[in-house]
Amino acid sequence: MKNARAVTMEFLEDCQKRCDENPVFRTLSCAVSKADLADAAYDGNRGRNLPMTFSIDLCSSTVTNQKSSGRCWIFAAMNVLREAAAKNCGMEETELSQNYIAFWDKFEKINYFLESVIDSADLPVGDRTLDWILQGLGDGGQWDMIVGLVKKYGVVPKSAMPETYQSSNTGTMNRMLNMKLREYAIELRTLISEGKDPAARKDEMLFEMYQALCICFGKPPKTFDFEYRDKDKKFHADYHLTPHTFYDKYVNVNLEDYVSVINAPTSDKPYGKCYTVKYLGNLVEGTIRYLNVPMDTLKDLVIRQMKDGEMVWFGSDCGKYGDRTSGIWDQDSFDFEGILGGLTFGLTKEERLDYRDSAMNHAMVITGVNLDENGKPNRWKIENSWGEDRGQKGYYVASDKWFDEFTYQVVIHKKYLSEEQLQALEAEPIVLEPWDPMGSLA
């Protein structure tokens, strides 16, 4: 670096002197010496302003638990769909198999990875796009990826494909699968460089991975029986169902009627335009589309859908200003500025995205909203998938201020969109680079 200035001993001595002269330096140091920074900064008095009561409250089902996995987007989608299944069956509540969807997601992602390696075979080692592809697969996903999986593979009740240790604890499995995928990448790139057709070898790679997934997740059922008791304790049994017949009969939600609406207030993404992301997906035949709108428009769409009794799948940055014990997301409930000796934090939402401070990293379900005397939202009820021992029996409350700054995506029925918005969504999408913040996975 030209003309870079090194840290001098004199500068360090001055820093120490100024710290020693600060009357609260020692007190603050003591406060955080045996506590998490967020716990030390948490203001319980502020949290009282966010009660778990809402003018619109759609759901209080038992919260699910994704455990040590990154399948929040799957859990959130299944939490939405299970409400339809429970209603159609006359049950208090039910649960759909997240493991079943996760199996097919992993398998399709493996195929997507291999096809991406083939597609990018002319790129040199060290190319940024190739490096992005070689990150391999994880647990995360997007709404359109759920739509593709359900359309292709259907769904099953949890009893037909329950959790396994590996489905709930995916770290080691993912690490080993990715190690093998990078080995496959070398082999495929070598075959192509030698002018050979990689198709047959790729199919064998897919089989090897399919077998490994069956070992880890269990074999996905082709047919199964569905037995349950309704609200009146009456027993029901339906035999020899397939994942598709089960979905059509007991869930019966047309997922293609729902679209992804985002709020990305960055200069490179004008509002009212449709976007997609290169090398983002699981099914190679699938598509990812977002409609970018102002936050006021996004919230209006959410509230209109909730007023009609429908919950909303959404994606946010859950790592900001949250307390998992009390179940709160709210900037005003934390005094990081005070606990850190007067540091100030002033990034805008646009700056957080542009400078890699924030992006969508978690999907959940909006199940309630409180509207004030002017009909404006001031807090939101959120169904999470971290188990009942977090938050308030697994439910959280987010301030409207937090919602504005850290919510990036919602899923809305097309009927709530204007004709202009629908036309924008159907237009040829603007293609974003793989590393764009809107390419992040929940």
Side-chain angles (χ1 to χ4, degrees), residues 175-188:
R175 189 164 62 250
M176 300 311 297
L177 292 179
N178 280 322
M179 186 186 300
K180 188 60 182 177
L181 286 176
R182 295 180 188 113
E183 187 178 321
Y184 286 157
I186 295 171
E187 187 177 350
L188 289 172

Side-chain angles (χ1 to χ4, degrees), residues 81-92:
L81 295 179
R82 70 172 176 164
E83 297 299 320
K87 182 179 179 180
N88 291 334
C89 294
M91 301 169 70
E92 292 288 349

Side-chain angles (χ1 to χ4, degrees), residues 333-404:
S333 294
F334 295 86
D335 184 15
F336 285 111
E337 291 83 355
I339 204 72
L340 290 171
L343 284 182
T344 59
F345 302 93
L347 290 176
T348 65
K349 190 172 188 179
E350 177 182 8
E351 290 167 341
R352 289 190 204 101
L353 290 170
D354 282 341
Y355 284 84
R356 301 293 170 166
D357 182 70
S358 182
M360 184 181 75
N361 53 33
H362 190 51
M364 299 175 284
V365 183
I366 305 169
T367 64
V369 61
N370 193 68
L371 305 178
D372 64 18
E373 64 273 19
N374 298 313
K376 300 295 184 182
N378 55 26
R379 59 183 180 273
W380 302 80
K381 182 182 178 183
I382 296 170
E383 180 185 9
N384 206 344
S385 55
W386 291 344
E388 290 187 275
D389 60 341
R390 307 281 181 90
Q392 301 183 43
K393 292 188 176 180
Y395 285 86
Y396 289 67
V397 57
S399 68
D400 191 58
K401 181 178 178 181
W402 184 91
F403 194 94
D404 282 344

Side-chain angles (χ1 to χ4, degrees), residues 42-53 326 328 330 332-333 379 392 397:
Y42 181 66
D43 182 352
N45 292 318
R46 294 276 188 166
R48 297 173 187 170
N49 297 325
L50 295 168
M52 188 63 81
T53 54
S326 59
I328 284 175
D330 174 44
D332 292 340
S333 294
R379 59 183 180 273
Q392 301 183 43
V397 57

Side-chain angles (χ1 to χ4, degrees), residues 254-361:
N254 185 4
L255 294 182
E256 293 183 333
D257 284 340
Y258 293 82
V259 297
S260 291
V261 177
I262 63 170
N263 175 244
T266 52
S267 60
D268 63 327
K269 299 181 188 69
Y271 291 138
K273 301 291 184 182
C274 179
Y275 298 89
T276 190
V277 183
K278 190 176 182 182
Y279 290 123
L280 178 67
N282 49 8
L283 279 70
V284 296
E285 65 270 32
T287 58
I288 302 288
R289 283 176 177 265
Y290 310 127
L291 175 66
N292 194 20
V293 301
M295 179 50 77
D296 286 348
T297 301
L298 182 147
K299 291 197 293 187
D300 178 66
L301 291 169
V302 170
I303 292 169
R304 287 167 58 199
Q305 182 161 308
M306 296 189 72
K307 283 182 174 179
D308 286 345
E310 281 200 65
M311 304 185 305
V312 178
W313 185 105
F314 85 114
S316 67
D317 181 355
C318 72
K320 299 291 194 296
Y321 301 101
D323 181 70
R324 297 188 180 194
T325 301
S326 59
I328 284 175
W329 275 297
D330 174 44
Q331 301 93 306
D332 292 340
S333 294
F334 295 86
D335 184 15
F336 285 111
E337 291 83 355
I339 204 72
L340 290 171
L343 284 182
T344 59
F345 302 93
L347 290 176
T348 65
K349 190 172 188 179
E350 177 182 8
E351 290 167 341
R352 289 190 204 101
L353 290 170
D354 282 341
Y355 284 84
R356 301 293 170 166
D357 182 70
S358 182
M360 184 181 75
N361 53 33

Side-chain angles (χ1 to χ4, degrees), residues 57-248:
D57 194 341
L58 302 180
C59 176
S60 295
S61 296
T62 304
V63 166
T64 54
N65 195 341
Q66 66 188 77
K67 297 186 178 178
S68 296
S69 73
R71 299 171 296 160
C72 59
W73 61 293
I74 294 174
F75 273 73
M78 295 303 105
N79 286 343
V80 170
L81 295 179
R82 70 172 176 164
E83 297 299 320
K87 182 179 179 180
N88 291 334
C89 294
M91 301 169 70
E92 292 288 349
E93 60 181 271
T94 189
E95 192 168 350
L96 303 176
S97 174
Q98 303 91 359
N99 186 24
Y100 177 79
I101 296 295
F103 176 97
W104 291 118
D105 174 61
K106 275 285 190 292
F107 184 68
E108 290 287 352
K109 281 178 179 171
I110 289 166
N111 183 60
Y112 197 101
F113 174 90
L114 298 176
E115 289 294 335
S116 297
V117 167
I118 293 170
D119 183 64
S120 62
D122 60 331
L123 298 178
V125 171
D127 179 89
R128 187 176 186 183
T129 298
L130 179 60
D131 286 348
W132 187 267
I133 292 169
L134 293 177
Q135 289 183 117
L137 57 88
D139 295 340
Q142 277 280 356
W143 174 259
D144 286 337
M145 294 161 67
I146 279 285
V147 175
L149 289 170
V150 172
K151 183 177 179 180
K152 189 169 183 176
Y153 296 106
V155 299
V156 303
K158 189 169 184 177
S159 58
M161 191 170 177
E163 293 286 298
T164 69
Y165 182 86
Q166 304 308 325
S167 70
S168 298
N169 300 270
T170 57
T172 302
M173 175 188 66
N174 285 344
R175 189 164 62 250
M176 300 311 297
L177 292 179
N178 280 322
M179 186 186 300
K180 188 60 182 177
L181 286 176
R182 295 180 188 113
E183 187 178 321
Y184 286 157
I186 295 171
E187 187 177 350
L188 289 172
R189 285 168 61 86
T190 300
L191 287 172
I192 293 169
S193 70
E194 294 172 350
K196 298 176 182 177
D197 185 351
R201 179 63 185 118
K202 183 215 146 185
D203 286 348
E204 184 61 23
M205 293 172 178
L206 277 176
F207 164 73
E208 293 168 3
M209 283 291 183
Y210 179 86
Q211 179 173 256
L213 291 177
C214 287
I215 292 169
C216 292
F217 289 92
K219 290 174 63 178
K222 291 183 177 180
T223 62
F224 57 91
D225 300 333
F226 181 45
E227 301 174 341
Y228 66 95
R229 290 189 182 275
D230 62 24
K231 295 176 183 178
D232 300 323
K233 307 303 179 184
K234 182 179 179 181
F235 180 77
H236 300 263
D238 203 347
Y239 301 107
H240 311 301
L241 292 166
T242 69
H244 283 103
T245 57
F246 173 82
Y247 187 87
D248 293 342

